[in-house]
Amino acid sequence: MNEPEDIEIVAEPEQATGTSHSLALPDQQLPDKLYVIPIHNRPLFPAQVLPVIVNPQPWGKTLERVSNTAHKCLALFYLDSPPGDAAAFDPDKLPEHGTLVRVHHATEEGGKLQFVAQGLTRVRIRGWLSRKPPYLVEVDYPKSPLDPRDEVKAYGMALINAIKELLPLNPLYSEELKNYLNRFSPNDPSPLTDFAAALTSAPGAELQEVLDTVPMLKRMEKVLPLLRKEVEVGRLQKELSAEVNRKIGERQREFFLKEQLKIIQQELGLSKDDRSADLEQFQQRLEGKTLPEQARKRIDEELNKLSILETGSPEYAVTRNYLDWATALPWGVYGQDKLDLKHARQVLDAHHAGMDDIKARITEFLAVGAFKGEIAGSIVLLVGPPGVGKTSIGRSIAESLGRPFYRFSVGGMRDEAEIKGHRRTYIGALPGKLVQALKEVEVMNPVIMLDEIDKLGASYQGDPASALLETLDPEQNAEFLDHYLDLRLDLSKVLFVCTANTLDSIPGPLLDRMEVIRLSGYITEEKLAIAKRHLWPKQLAKAGVAKQRLAISDAALRALIEGYAREAGVRQLEKQLGKLVRKAVVQLLEAPERAVKIGAKDLEAYLGMPVFRSEQLLSGIGVITGLAWTSMGGATLPIEATRIHSLNRGFKLTGQLGEVMKESAEIAYSYVSAQLKHYGGEPGFFDQAFVHLHVPEGATPKDGPSAGISMASALLSLARNQAPKKGVAMTGELTLTGQVLAIGGVREKVIAARRQKLFELILPEANRGSYEELPDYLKAGLTVHFAKRFTDVAKVLFP
C-alpha cells in the first residue's frame, strides 16, 4: 500500500501508546494516533453500538489501514453538512470532540462500505498528521472533573426515571436499553448520560453539544431536558395512536355487528340481500308502466344478468346503474293536458304584460291542440332580445297546459353526448339530458325548454346542433335513440320550447324544424305596466318591505325607464328597481317610523346621473336618420355624408361597417351618381367631389341589409345641397335600379322610432303587411310612407 507523502515517517497508530483516565482497551493502552472518518446524521456516543455506512471513495483506504492495526479503532466526528466527496471535507470544520470506536465486521455491499462501530470514549484532536485521505490525527482523551457525588447521583436517578417513562412508549427503546445493560453498569453516570442522550431524537447540533460537554454535572443538566421532551413527544404520539385505534376499532365493531345483523335477518327471512333488494326494487318500478317490446326484452335480459353477478364485481355496478335509469323512465305514462283556452289566457295575462300578438300566437297554437285533442309533434322557437321574457313564456305555456316543465341551457354545449348520452363503454357514462328530464318529470309528455339554442358550440367531440335534429324532428323523435340506454324512446308527445336571441347562428336544417315566434322589445308604456304589476312588488317581497312603507311614483318609473333602462327587455329595469329598494331600506332602518316615497327628482340621488340622455337627433345637409335592428332590439342609426374637397373623385366609408353595409353604401353611391340629374342635382357633382360617408359610434360594429335607402338619401341631400325633411326615419335596402327591398325587424324598428319621438317613417312597400299586423297602440300617431322605388323616398324627403 502506498503511503501518502505527508505521513510516510509517522508510526502506525497501533505502535503508539497513551494513558487512559477510565477505560483501557484489552491488552493495550488507548492509542494516541487515530484515523478519522466523519459522520453526518448525528453524533455517535460512547454508550452506543451502531452500524455506519460510508462511501468507498475516499474512506475505503482508511478502513483498510484501521483493519491492519492491532486495536482496530478509529475516531468518528460529527460533521453538520450533507455527505460529499473528499474534496468537500474540511478538517477545520470538525467539532472539538468525537468518539473513539472499535470497528467490527467491515464489509462492502451495494457499492457502500458498512461496519459496526462500538463507542468507547470521548476523543479530542491534538494535531493533524495527515490532511489527505486517509486522515490521521494525534488525539488525547478528556478527563471529567470530580463533581459533587450527591448531585450526580440525584441527576442519575432522574435520568433513570425518565428512561423508565420512555420505555413503555416505544418498544425500540427497550432494545437500546438491553444493549446498554449488557455493557455498562447503571451506577456509572457517564455512560448512563450518554445513553440517555442517544435515546432522544434531538437534532445533531444539540447532541454534539452534549458530546462536547465533558464535565459530568453539566452534561446531565443538558441531557435531562432533552429526555423529558422526548417523553412528552412519545406520550402525545401514544395518545394520538390510541385515539386513531379507538376510532378504527369502533368502526370495525360497527361493521361486524351490521354484517351479523344482516345475516341474522336473512336467516329469519326479515330482509333480503343487496341483489334481491335491487331486483325487487327494479321490478316494482316497472309495475303500471307500458314498455315497448324491445325495451321489455332488454330490461329482462339485464335483470337476469344482475341476478347471477357477484355484488362486489364492477360489472354488477354497471348493470345496476343501467337498470336504475332504464326502470326510472316513465314508460307509457302521460299527463293529462288542460286544453282550456280561457285558463291559458288567464295564465299568460297574469305572468306577462303587453305582448298581445305573442299571446294570440300561443293561444292559437293551444287552440289547435284543443281542437285535435292533443298537442304533439310541436317545436316552438321564441326569438327576441335578452330580458323580454322568453323563458318565462315557456313556463307559462307549461302551466297553462298543466304539464311538468324542465329547462336546460344548451348555450356553449360542445359534446353531442350531452343530448344523446354516452355509450356504456367507460366509467362515468350517463344518459343524455332528455332522458334525465323524463326521469325527473315522470311523464312522457312534459314541456322541455332548450335555452340559448343559438349559442350551441361544436368541437372534436361532436356537433350538438346535428344531434338535436333527431330530437326535434316530429318525423324522427318517435324513435329517439339514447346511446346509454340503447333503447328507442317516444319523444313525439313532448312539447319543445326553444329560445334564442338571433336566428343567424342556428343551422338551417335545425331552424326548418321549428315554428318561430318573435318577441320584440317593450315600449315605455309596456315597461311601465310590467314594473308596476310584476317587478316592483317582486323587489319589495325580496327585501321584505311592506308596500305601505316604500312606494314609487309613475313619473319616477317612467324617468327610470327612459334614463336608466332603455334596452329592449326588462332585466336592467329589474336591477335598477332592486338598487332603489336597497338604498331605500337603508333610510328605513335609520328612521323606522317613516315611509319612503320615491319621485322622479329623487332618482339621481339614488342611482346617479342617467345613463341614457334624450338623444339630440342630427339634422342638416347630408344627415339622415335610419332605423336598425340588433340582438338587443331596435335602434336609430344616424348617417352623415360630407364633401371633403373638390380636387378629385373619391368615396370613403367609416363607422365599423360590415361587408353587407359596405356593399349597400357602394350601391347607394353608384345609384345616386347615375341618377343625380333625375333627382335635381348637378350631374357632375360627384365627378369632382371626394365624399366621406360616416355612420356614428365608430366603436360599435354595424352590419345588415337595411341601410341602402338611408345612405342614398344622405348622398342625395349632399349633392342637392338641401337638408331633408326633419323628423323622418327610414329603413330599406336599395338596388342599382332604384328598387326598395324588404327588410326584417319592423316591430323593433317602429319601437325604436317611437322611443326617439320620431312619428314619420319610410318603410319598404313589401313590408306593408308586417306593419299592418302591429298592435294599434304601436301604430297610433305614426305617419308611414311605403316606398316601392327610391323615387318614393325622395318625394317624402324633398317635397
Side-chain angles (χ1 to χ4, degrees):
M1 180 185 298
N2 295 326
E3 298 283 5
E5 292 181 1
D6 55 347
I7 61 168
E8 283 182 349
I9 60 172
V10 178
E12 287 290 323
E14 67 266 26
Q15 299 167 353
T17 58
T19 5
S20 167
H21 70 285
S22 62
L23 178 66
L25 294 174
D27 304 327
Q28 65 179 47
Q29 294 180 323
L30 292 174
D32 58 358
K33 295 181 179 63
L34 290 171
Y35 290 105
V36 173
I37 290 181
I39 55 176
H40 299 275
N41 293 331
R42 49 187 281 152
L44 188 140
F45 285 91
Q48 284 184 284
V49 178
L50 286 177
V52 177
I53 299 174
V54 296
N55 291 320
Q57 290 294 334
W59 310 115
K61 186 176 287 189
T62 302
L63 288 176
E64 187 178 342
R65 293 286 184 88
V66 171
S67 67
N68 293 330
T69 63
H71 52 71
K72 305 293 189 295
C73 292
L74 58 78
L76 291 182
F77 282 84
Y78 170 66
L79 194 59
D80 188 11
S81 65
D85 56 11
F89 175 69
D90 186 359
D92 295 329
K93 291 185 178 180
L94 291 183
E96 182 181 0
H97 291 88
T99 304
L100 174 69
V101 300
R102 173 176 286 172
V103 177
H104 297 279
H105 308 299
T107 58
E108 183 174 359
E109 187 175 344
K112 297 283 186 180
L113 292 175
Q114 179 174 335
F115 62 92
V116 177
Q118 177 187 356
L120 300 176
T121 185
R122 281 172 173 74
V123 65
R124 183 168 52 202
I125 297 175
R126 196 169 65 234
W128 285 84
L129 299 176
S130 170
R131 287 180 173 267
K132 294 181 180 179
Y135 298 99
L136 186 64
V137 294
E138 285 186 316
V139 298
D140 59 16
Y141 302 93
K143 295 181 181 181
S144 172
L146 293 175
D147 290 311
R149 185 175 182 82
D150 291 341
E151 290 187 33
V152 171
K153 186 176 181 181
Y155 267 105
M157 293 180 64
L159 288 174
I160 290 173
N161 289 333
I163 292 172
K164 286 181 179 178
E165 292 183 46
L166 194 59
L167 286 178
L169 301 177
N170 193 330
L172 293 177
Y173 296 138
S174 61
E175 295 296 326
E176 293 270 357
L177 183 61
K178 287 178 186 177
N179 191 12
Y180 166 75
L181 292 176
N182 288 334
R183 302 172 57 240
F184 299 103
S185 168
N187 297 323
D188 189 356
S190 180
L192 176 66
T193 308
D194 290 340
F195 169 71
L199 282 182
T200 68
S201 58
E206 293 185 18
L207 295 177
Q208 182 62 43
E209 287 183 17
V210 175
L211 193 62
D212 287 337
T213 307
V214 178
M216 183 56 59
L217 197 57
K218 287 187 179 180
R219 199 190 318 163
M220 287 181 157
E221 289 175 355
K222 285 182 180 291
V223 172
L224 189 57
L226 296 179
L227 200 57
R228 297 304 312 176
K229 182 180 178 182
E230 196 70 23
V231 170
E232 292 303 320
V233 171
R235 184 176 290 119
L236 179 60
Q237 185 177 359
K238 187 174 181 180
E239 290 175 0
L240 292 175
S241 179
E243 179 67 18
V244 171
N245 290 335
R246 183 184 64 79
K247 289 182 178 179
I248 292 176
E250 287 179 356
R251 289 177 182 171
Q252 285 179 336
R253 182 172 177 273
E254 183 180 347
F255 171 75
F256 287 131
L257 288 175
K258 285 182 176 178
E259 289 298 314
Q260 289 174 350
L261 179 62
K262 191 184 295 185
I263 293 171
I264 292 171
Q265 288 177 335
Q266 289 175 7
E267 291 291 332
L268 296 175
L270 300 176
S271 72
K272 302 178 180 65
D273 59 7
D274 291 342
R275 185 192 295 108
S276 302
D278 287 341
L279 288 169
E280 184 174 329
Q281 178 191 12
F282 296 145
Q283 287 166 348
Q284 285 177 351
R285 284 184 183 178
L286 296 175
E287 292 178 4
K289 296 179 180 178
T290 307
L291 276 72
E293 186 60 33
Q294 179 201 11
R296 170 67 71 179
K297 182 179 178 182
R298 180 67 179 276
I299 290 176
D300 287 343
E301 290 174 357
E302 295 291 331
L303 287 171
N304 291 334
K305 185 195 297 185
L306 193 74
S307 64
I308 61 175
L309 287 171
E310 287 297 328
T311 55
S313 69
E315 183 69 17
Y316 181 89
V318 171
T319 305
R320 189 194 179 285
N321 286 341
Y322 176 84
L323 285 169
D324 186 35
W325 281 102
T327 57
L329 289 178
W331 298 99
V333 179
Y334 294 93
Q336 187 67 36
D337 287 340
K338 295 179 183 175
L339 299 174
D340 184 352
L341 295 186
K342 184 178 180 182
H343 170 71
R345 290 193 186 98
Q346 289 174 349
V347 171
L348 291 169
D349 288 336
H351 293 179
H352 304 278
M355 296 196 298
D356 294 332
D357 52 341
I358 305 300
K359 293 177 186 175
R361 285 287 301 276
I362 294 171
T363 306
E364 293 164 7
F365 170 74
L366 298 177
V368 172
F371 189 81
K372 184 182 177 184
E374 65 170 356
I375 294 177
S378 301
I379 301 97
V380 178
L381 175 60
L382 304 173
V383 183
V388 296
K390 299 184 294 295
T391 304
S392 60
I393 284 180
R395 293 184 184 277
S396 299
I397 292 173
E399 185 177 336
S400 62
L401 285 172
R403 290 190 181 189
F405 179 77
Y406 186 91
R407 171 193 169 275
F408 68 93
S409 176
V410 296
M413 186 181 291
R414 293 178 173 272
D415 189 354
E416 58 96 17
E418 292 286 327
I419 303 293
K420 304 192 73 174
H422 305 78
R423 300 194 183 277
R424 241 195 336 157
T425 52
Y426 53 87
I427 300 297
L430 281 175
K433 285 285 188 183
L434 296 166
V435 172
Q436 296 177 36
L438 294 178
K439 178 183 177 182
E440 183 170 322
V441 299
E442 298 180 347
V443 293
M444 293 295 286
N445 60 338
V447 175
I448 296 180
M449 171 167 279
L450 308 178
D451 237 344
E452 312 293 351
I453 201 168
D454 58 327
K455 299 175 181 64
L456 274 171
S459 72
Y460 67 93
Q461 293 168 306
D463 181 7
S466 300
L468 279 176
L469 293 178
E470 180 187 357
T471 308
L472 300 180
D473 192 339
E475 303 298 325
Q476 298 181 49
N477 62 13
E479 293 190 350
F480 173 76
L481 181 66
D482 182 86
H483 290 158
Y484 178 82
L485 294 177
D486 201 21
L487 295 174
R488 298 287 177 180
L489 293 170
D490 183 6
L491 301 182
S492 61
K493 308 297 182 186
V494 177
L495 173 56
F496 289 100
V497 180
C498 307
T499 69
N501 296 130
T502 64
L503 299 179
D504 303 341
S505 56
I506 302 177
L510 186 58
L511 185 62
D512 185 53
R513 288 162 167 79
M514 305 179 187
E515 182 179 351
V516 179
I517 298 180
R518 291 186 175 273
L519 282 75
S520 305
Y522 299 106
I523 60 175
T524 302
E525 286 72 17
E526 291 175 333
K527 284 188 177 180
L528 187 64
I530 292 169
K532 290 171 67 176
R533 288 172 49 184
H534 299 285
L535 304 183
W536 182 252
K538 179 181 175 181
Q539 292 299 325
L540 291 180
K542 190 176 179 181
V545 180
K547 61 181 180 180
Q548 294 82 7
R549 297 200 63 196
L550 179 58
I552 186 170
S553 67
D554 288 358
L557 281 176
R558 188 177 291 275
L560 177 66
I561 293 165
E562 293 288 350
Y564 298 87
R566 204 180 281 180
E567 83 288 355
V570 293
R571 194 167 286 141
Q572 188 64 28
L573 174 59
E574 185 175 7
K575 290 179 183 177
Q576 297 295 341
L577 289 173
K579 191 174 181 181
L580 281 178
V581 170
R582 290 194 299 273
K583 289 184 176 294
V585 165
V586 175
Q587 297 181 358
L588 293 176
L589 289 176
E590 292 172 351
E593 302 302 322
R594 63 173 289 194
V596 175
K597 177 71 180 281
I598 300 174
K601 296 180 180 179
D602 304 322
L603 288 183
E604 287 191 14
Y606 282 98
L607 303 177
M609 297 300 291
V611 179
F612 302 97
R613 299 285 183 177
S614 54
E615 293 182 14
Q616 186 68 35
L617 290 173
L618 303 177
S619 61
I621 296 173
V623 179
I624 292 292
T625 301
L627 296 173
W629 178 90
T630 70
S631 62
M632 301 294 289
T636 55
L637 193 70
I639 294 174
E640 303 170 327
T642 187
R643 182 174 63 177
I644 301 175
H645 57 73
S646 302
L647 299 177
N648 61 303
R649 182 185 183 94
F651 186 54
K652 181 179 181 180
L653 286 171
T654 55
Q656 270 220 59
L657 307 183
E659 292 299 325
V660 177
M661 283 195 77
K662 287 179 181 178
E663 289 187 0
S664 296
E666 296 286 350
I667 292 170
Y669 180 72
S670 299
Y671 176 75
V672 174
S673 299
Q675 303 295 329
L676 192 53
K677 183 177 181 181
H678 174 72
Y679 289 110
E682 184 182 342
F685 175 82
F686 289 108
D687 294 338
Q688 291 87 30
F690 192 94
V691 177
H692 184 174
L693 186 72
H694 175 62
V695 183
E697 294 188 31
T700 307
K702 294 169 278 290
D703 201 8
S706 62
I709 65 171
S710 307
M711 292 175 168
S713 300
L715 292 171
L716 181 58
S717 169
L718 179 67
R720 288 174 56 121
N721 196 29
Q722 178 184 356
K725 184 178 180 181
K726 286 187 177 182
V728 179
M730 65 185 70
T731 179
E733 189 55 290
L734 183 66
T735 69
L736 277 175
T737 57
Q739 301 286 336
V740 179
L741 303 181
I743 46 86
V746 172
R747 180 188 172 106
E748 289 85 351
K749 292 175 180 179
V750 169
I751 291 174
R754 293 188 70 95
R755 191 184 296 128
Q756 296 300 326
K757 307 292 191 296
L758 295 169
F759 297 103
E760 188 170 0
L761 306 180
I762 300 176
L763 300 177
E765 176 67 35
N767 289 107
R768 183 186 292 270
S770 302
Y771 176 78
E772 296 296 341
E773 291 176 358
L774 293 180
D776 291 337
Y777 65 86
L778 281 182
K779 297 185 288 187
L782 291 182
T783 302
V784 179
H785 307 279
F786 293 100
K788 198 170 185 179
R789 298 184 59 82
F790 187 72
T791 311
D792 304 326
V793 178
K795 287 178 181 176
V796 176
L797 292 177
F798 310 105

